[in-house]
mmCIF file of all heavy atoms in Angstrom:
data_model
loop_
_atom_site.group_PDB
_atom_site.id
_atom_site.type_symbol
_atom_site.label_atom_id
_atom_site.label_comp_id
_atom_site.label_asym_id
_atom_site.label_seq_id
_atom_site.Cartn_x
_atom_site.Cartn_y
_atom_site.Cartn_z
ATOM 1 N N ILE A 34 -139.687 -42.191 -41.021
ATOM 2 C CA ILE A 34 -138.855 -41.202 -40.343
ATOM 3 C C ILE A 34 -137.409 -41.667 -40.424
ATOM 4 O O ILE A 34 -137.118 -42.856 -40.315
ATOM 5 C CB ILE A 34 -139.275 -41.046 -38.866
ATOM 6 C CG1 ILE A 34 -140.747 -40.676 -38.780
ATOM 7 C CG2 ILE A 34 -138.437 -40.000 -38.173
ATOM 8 C CD1 ILE A 34 -141.288 -40.656 -37.371
ATOM 9 N N SER A 35 -136.490 -40.729 -40.592
ATOM 10 C CA SER A 35 -135.087 -41.087 -40.702
ATOM 11 C C SER A 35 -134.561 -41.654 -39.382
ATOM 12 O O SER A 35 -135.097 -41.381 -38.305
ATOM 13 C CB SER A 35 -134.246 -39.875 -41.103
ATOM 14 O OG SER A 35 -134.247 -38.926 -40.061
ATOM 15 N N ARG A 36 -133.503 -42.448 -39.470
ATOM 16 C CA ARG A 36 -132.925 -43.105 -38.301
ATOM 17 C C ARG A 36 -132.455 -42.110 -37.231
ATOM 18 O O ARG A 36 -132.785 -42.277 -36.064
ATOM 19 C CB ARG A 36 -131.785 -44.014 -38.753
ATOM 20 C CG ARG A 36 -131.190 -44.842 -37.662
ATOM 21 C CD ARG A 36 -130.098 -45.746 -38.245
ATOM 22 N NE ARG A 36 -129.565 -46.612 -37.239
ATOM 23 C CZ ARG A 36 -129.949 -47.859 -37.033
ATOM 24 N NH1 ARG A 36 -130.896 -48.362 -37.782
ATOM 25 N NH2 ARG A 36 -129.410 -48.584 -36.098
ATOM 26 N N PRO A 37 -131.702 -41.057 -37.609
ATOM 27 C CA PRO A 37 -131.279 -40.098 -36.572
ATOM 28 C C PRO A 37 -132.460 -39.408 -35.877
ATOM 29 O O PRO A 37 -132.425 -39.164 -34.676
ATOM 30 C CB PRO A 37 -130.440 -39.082 -37.332
ATOM 31 C CG PRO A 37 -130.018 -39.764 -38.581
ATOM 32 C CD PRO A 37 -131.103 -40.744 -38.897
ATOM 33 N N GLN A 38 -133.506 -39.131 -36.631
ATOM 34 C CA GLN A 38 -134.679 -38.482 -36.049
ATOM 35 C C GLN A 38 -135.376 -39.413 -35.062
ATOM 36 O O GLN A 38 -135.828 -38.980 -34.000
ATOM 37 C CB GLN A 38 -135.653 -38.065 -37.152
ATOM 38 C CG GLN A 38 -136.795 -37.223 -36.671
ATOM 39 C CD GLN A 38 -136.342 -35.852 -36.200
ATOM 40 O OE1 GLN A 38 -135.449 -35.250 -36.773
ATOM 41 N NE2 GLN A 38 -136.952 -35.357 -35.166
ATOM 42 N N LEU A 39 -135.468 -40.703 -35.394
ATOM 43 C CA LEU A 39 -136.085 -41.660 -34.477
ATOM 44 C C LEU A 39 -135.273 -41.805 -33.190
ATOM 45 O O LEU A 39 -135.838 -41.923 -32.110
ATOM 46 C CB LEU A 39 -136.241 -43.026 -35.148
ATOM 47 C CG LEU A 39 -137.479 -43.198 -36.007
ATOM 48 C CD1 LEU A 39 -137.464 -44.540 -36.706
ATOM 49 C CD2 LEU A 39 -138.736 -43.062 -35.184
ATOM 50 N N TYR A 40 -133.948 -41.806 -33.304
ATOM 51 C CA TYR A 40 -133.116 -41.866 -32.101
ATOM 52 C C TYR A 40 -133.401 -40.677 -31.193
ATOM 53 O O TYR A 40 -133.511 -40.813 -29.974
ATOM 54 C CB TYR A 40 -131.630 -41.898 -32.452
ATOM 55 C CG TYR A 40 -131.122 -43.252 -32.837
ATOM 56 C CD1 TYR A 40 -130.449 -43.447 -34.026
ATOM 57 C CD2 TYR A 40 -131.314 -44.357 -32.005
ATOM 58 C CE1 TYR A 40 -129.975 -44.696 -34.386
ATOM 59 C CE2 TYR A 40 -130.844 -45.604 -32.359
ATOM 60 C CZ TYR A 40 -130.172 -45.764 -33.542
ATOM 61 O OH TYR A 40 -129.712 -47.002 -33.893
ATOM 62 N N LYS A 41 -133.546 -39.514 -31.781
ATOM 63 C CA LYS A 41 -133.846 -38.312 -30.989
ATOM 64 C C LYS A 41 -135.212 -38.427 -30.320
ATOM 65 O O LYS A 41 -135.384 -38.048 -29.169
ATOM 66 C CB LYS A 41 -133.799 -37.069 -31.875
ATOM 67 C CG LYS A 41 -132.417 -36.703 -32.344
ATOM 68 C CD LYS A 41 -132.461 -35.509 -33.273
ATOM 69 C CE LYS A 41 -131.107 -35.226 -33.861
ATOM 70 N NZ LYS A 41 -131.138 -34.120 -34.832
ATOM 71 N N ILE A 42 -136.187 -38.949 -31.043
ATOM 72 C CA ILE A 42 -137.538 -39.099 -30.502
ATOM 73 C C ILE A 42 -137.536 -40.067 -29.320
ATOM 74 O O ILE A 42 -138.113 -39.795 -28.275
ATOM 75 C CB ILE A 42 -138.519 -39.561 -31.597
ATOM 76 C CG1 ILE A 42 -138.749 -38.442 -32.608
ATOM 77 C CG2 ILE A 42 -139.839 -40.000 -30.989
ATOM 78 C CD1 ILE A 42 -139.504 -38.863 -33.848
ATOM 79 N N PHE A 43 -136.877 -41.222 -29.474
ATOM 80 C CA PHE A 43 -136.853 -42.202 -28.391
ATOM 81 C C PHE A 43 -135.992 -41.742 -27.212
ATOM 82 O O PHE A 43 -136.132 -42.269 -26.115
ATOM 83 C CB PHE A 43 -136.399 -43.568 -28.898
ATOM 84 C CG PHE A 43 -137.489 -44.316 -29.619
ATOM 85 C CD1 PHE A 43 -137.413 -44.545 -30.976
ATOM 86 C CD2 PHE A 43 -138.601 -44.785 -28.935
ATOM 87 C CE1 PHE A 43 -138.418 -45.231 -31.645
ATOM 88 C CE2 PHE A 43 -139.609 -45.465 -29.585
ATOM 89 C CZ PHE A 43 -139.522 -45.695 -30.942
ATOM 90 N N ASN A 44 -135.130 -40.766 -27.433
ATOM 91 C CA ASN A 44 -134.346 -40.198 -26.331
ATOM 92 C C ASN A 44 -135.041 -39.004 -25.678
ATOM 93 O O ASN A 44 -134.479 -38.374 -24.800
ATOM 94 C CB ASN A 44 -132.954 -39.799 -26.808
ATOM 95 C CG ASN A 44 -132.066 -40.989 -27.017
ATOM 96 O OD1 ASN A 44 -132.232 -42.011 -26.356
ATOM 97 N ND2 ASN A 44 -131.119 -40.883 -27.937
ATOM 98 N N GLY A 45 -136.246 -38.681 -26.122
ATOM 99 C CA GLY A 45 -137.028 -37.655 -25.441
ATOM 100 C C GLY A 45 -137.315 -36.391 -26.217
ATOM 101 O O GLY A 45 -138.039 -35.532 -25.742
ATOM 102 N N ALA A 46 -136.775 -36.235 -27.416
ATOM 103 C CA ALA A 46 -137.069 -35.049 -28.215
ATOM 104 C C ALA A 46 -138.509 -35.122 -28.726
ATOM 105 O O ALA A 46 -139.057 -36.200 -28.930
ATOM 106 C CB ALA A 46 -136.111 -34.948 -29.398
ATOM 107 N N THR A 47 -139.119 -33.980 -28.902
ATOM 108 C CA THR A 47 -140.508 -33.952 -29.370
ATOM 109 C C THR A 47 -140.645 -33.033 -30.587
ATOM 110 O O THR A 47 -141.133 -31.912 -30.476
ATOM 111 C CB THR A 47 -141.459 -33.471 -28.256
ATOM 112 O OG1 THR A 47 -140.992 -32.204 -27.784
ATOM 113 C CG2 THR A 47 -141.509 -34.449 -27.115
ATOM 114 N N PRO A 48 -140.232 -33.491 -31.760
ATOM 115 C CA PRO A 48 -140.439 -32.675 -32.965
ATOM 116 C C PRO A 48 -141.922 -32.589 -33.300
ATOM 117 O O PRO A 48 -142.618 -33.603 -33.305
ATOM 118 C CB PRO A 48 -139.658 -33.417 -34.045
ATOM 119 C CG PRO A 48 -139.476 -34.791 -33.523
ATOM 120 C CD PRO A 48 -139.552 -34.728 -32.033
ATOM 121 N N ASN A 49 -142.391 -31.389 -33.530
ATOM 122 C CA ASN A 49 -143.828 -31.159 -33.744
ATOM 123 C C ASN A 49 -144.399 -31.927 -34.925
ATOM 124 O O ASN A 49 -145.542 -32.375 -34.882
ATOM 125 C CB ASN A 49 -144.089 -29.665 -33.949
ATOM 126 C CG ASN A 49 -143.861 -28.894 -32.676
ATOM 127 O OD1 ASN A 49 -143.935 -29.450 -31.596
ATOM 128 N ND2 ASN A 49 -143.545 -27.623 -32.802
ATOM 129 N N LYS A 50 -143.616 -32.088 -35.982
ATOM 130 C CA LYS A 50 -144.125 -32.747 -37.188
ATOM 131 C C LYS A 50 -144.552 -34.182 -36.903
ATOM 132 O O LYS A 50 -145.589 -34.627 -37.369
ATOM 133 C CB LYS A 50 -143.041 -32.732 -38.261
ATOM 134 C CG LYS A 50 -143.452 -33.390 -39.550
ATOM 135 C CD LYS A 50 -142.327 -33.321 -40.565
ATOM 136 C CE LYS A 50 -142.724 -34.015 -41.848
ATOM 137 N NZ LYS A 50 -141.642 -33.980 -42.836
ATOM 138 N N TRP A 51 -143.775 -34.921 -36.110
ATOM 139 C CA TRP A 51 -144.060 -36.325 -35.880
ATOM 140 C C TRP A 51 -144.907 -36.561 -34.642
ATOM 141 O O TRP A 51 -145.629 -37.552 -34.562
ATOM 142 C CB TRP A 51 -142.761 -37.122 -35.796
ATOM 143 C CG TRP A 51 -141.953 -36.985 -37.035
ATOM 144 C CD1 TRP A 51 -140.757 -36.339 -37.164
ATOM 145 C CD2 TRP A 51 -142.290 -37.457 -38.338
ATOM 146 N NE1 TRP A 51 -140.329 -36.402 -38.458
ATOM 147 C CE2 TRP A 51 -141.253 -37.079 -39.202
ATOM 148 C CE3 TRP A 51 -143.363 -38.158 -38.849
ATOM 149 C CZ2 TRP A 51 -141.267 -37.391 -40.556
ATOM 150 C CZ3 TRP A 51 -143.375 -38.466 -40.202
ATOM 151 C CH2 TRP A 51 -142.339 -38.087 -41.036
ATOM 152 N N VAL A 52 -144.856 -35.661 -33.685
ATOM 153 C CA VAL A 52 -145.638 -35.841 -32.454
ATOM 154 C C VAL A 52 -147.127 -35.676 -32.733
ATOM 155 O O VAL A 52 -147.956 -36.291 -32.078
ATOM 156 C CB VAL A 52 -145.152 -34.860 -31.367
ATOM 157 C CG1 VAL A 52 -146.043 -34.905 -30.144
ATOM 158 C CG2 VAL A 52 -143.725 -35.206 -30.977
ATOM 159 N N THR A 53 -147.473 -34.896 -33.717
ATOM 160 C CA THR A 53 -148.886 -34.729 -34.049
ATOM 161 C C THR A 53 -149.451 -35.969 -34.738
ATOM 162 O O THR A 53 -150.649 -36.206 -34.692
ATOM 163 C CB THR A 53 -149.101 -33.505 -34.953
ATOM 164 O OG1 THR A 53 -148.310 -33.653 -36.132
ATOM 165 C CG2 THR A 53 -148.734 -32.220 -34.232
ATOM 166 N N ARG A 54 -148.588 -36.766 -35.375
ATOM 167 C CA ARG A 54 -149.051 -37.956 -36.089
ATOM 168 C C ARG A 54 -148.929 -39.239 -35.279
ATOM 169 O O ARG A 54 -149.766 -40.128 -35.391
ATOM 170 C CB ARG A 54 -148.257 -38.133 -37.379
ATOM 171 C CG ARG A 54 -148.465 -37.036 -38.359
ATOM 172 C CD ARG A 54 -147.698 -37.317 -39.620
ATOM 173 N NE ARG A 54 -147.627 -36.125 -40.448
ATOM 174 C CZ ARG A 54 -146.882 -36.018 -41.519
ATOM 175 N NH1 ARG A 54 -146.126 -37.017 -41.891
ATOM 176 N NH2 ARG A 54 -146.881 -34.909 -42.211
ATOM 177 N N TYR A 55 -147.849 -39.357 -34.510
ATOM 178 C CA TYR A 55 -147.543 -40.598 -33.815
ATOM 179 C C TYR A 55 -147.205 -40.345 -32.352
ATOM 180 O O TYR A 55 -146.758 -39.263 -31.991
ATOM 181 C CB TYR A 55 -146.339 -41.311 -34.451
ATOM 182 C CG TYR A 55 -146.511 -41.646 -35.899
ATOM 183 C CD1 TYR A 55 -145.909 -40.878 -36.886
ATOM 184 C CD2 TYR A 55 -147.263 -42.743 -36.295
ATOM 185 C CE1 TYR A 55 -146.053 -41.191 -38.221
ATOM 186 C CE2 TYR A 55 -147.418 -43.063 -37.631
ATOM 187 C CZ TYR A 55 -146.804 -42.281 -38.594
ATOM 188 O OH TYR A 55 -146.959 -42.594 -39.908
ATOM 189 N N ASP A 56 -147.401 -41.373 -31.548
ATOM 190 C CA ASP A 56 -146.942 -41.376 -30.166
ATOM 191 C C ASP A 56 -145.971 -42.547 -30.047
ATOM 192 O O ASP A 56 -146.349 -43.694 -30.285
ATOM 193 C CB ASP A 56 -148.123 -41.547 -29.206
ATOM 194 C CG ASP A 56 -147.712 -41.469 -27.765
ATOM 195 O OD1 ASP A 56 -146.692 -40.821 -27.467
ATOM 196 O OD2 ASP A 56 -148.411 -42.065 -26.922
ATOM 197 N N PHE A 57 -144.712 -42.257 -29.707
ATOM 198 C CA PHE A 57 -143.664 -43.266 -29.660
ATOM 199 C C PHE A 57 -143.360 -43.647 -28.229
ATOM 200 O O PHE A 57 -143.332 -42.803 -27.341
ATOM 201 C CB PHE A 57 -142.377 -42.730 -30.303
ATOM 202 C CG PHE A 57 -142.546 -42.378 -31.752
ATOM 203 C CD1 PHE A 57 -142.855 -41.084 -32.129
ATOM 204 C CD2 PHE A 57 -142.389 -43.330 -32.730
ATOM 205 C CE1 PHE A 57 -143.005 -40.753 -33.460
ATOM 206 C CE2 PHE A 57 -142.536 -43.016 -34.062
ATOM 207 C CZ PHE A 57 -142.843 -41.716 -34.434
ATOM 208 N N GLN A 58 -143.105 -44.932 -28.032
ATOM 209 C CA GLN A 58 -142.771 -45.411 -26.701
ATOM 210 C C GLN A 58 -141.869 -46.635 -26.829
ATOM 211 O O GLN A 58 -142.133 -47.535 -27.618
ATOM 212 C CB GLN A 58 -144.051 -45.770 -25.954
ATOM 213 C CG GLN A 58 -143.870 -46.049 -24.504
ATOM 214 C CD GLN A 58 -145.209 -46.302 -23.838
ATOM 215 O OE1 GLN A 58 -146.198 -46.631 -24.477
ATOM 216 N NE2 GLN A 58 -145.239 -46.153 -22.532
ATOM 217 N N SER A 59 -140.807 -46.652 -26.046
ATOM 218 C CA SER A 59 -139.940 -47.809 -25.994
ATOM 219 C C SER A 59 -140.346 -48.610 -24.763
ATOM 220 O O SER A 59 -140.375 -48.091 -23.655
ATOM 221 C CB SER A 59 -138.486 -47.361 -25.882
ATOM 222 O OG SER A 59 -137.641 -48.473 -25.813
ATOM 223 N N ILE A 60 -140.704 -49.883 -24.955
ATOM 224 C CA ILE A 60 -141.210 -50.688 -23.848
ATOM 225 C C ILE A 60 -140.393 -51.963 -23.716
ATOM 226 O O ILE A 60 -139.713 -52.387 -24.658
ATOM 227 C CB ILE A 60 -142.702 -51.026 -24.030
ATOM 228 C CG1 ILE A 60 -142.930 -51.773 -25.344
ATOM 229 C CG2 ILE A 60 -143.549 -49.781 -23.983
ATOM 230 C CD1 ILE A 60 -144.332 -52.263 -25.529
#
Side-chain angles (χ1 to χ4, degrees):
I34 303 173
S35 67
R36 185 178 184 96
Q38 188 68 37
L39 276 175
Y40 279 126
K41 290 177 186 176
I42 290 170
F43 282 112
N44 285 331
T47 55
N49 291 337
K50 180 179 178 181
W51 302 111
V52 173
T53 57
R54 295 183 194 171
Y55 302 102
D56 184 26
F57 299 94
Q58 190 176 20
S59 179
I60 58 174

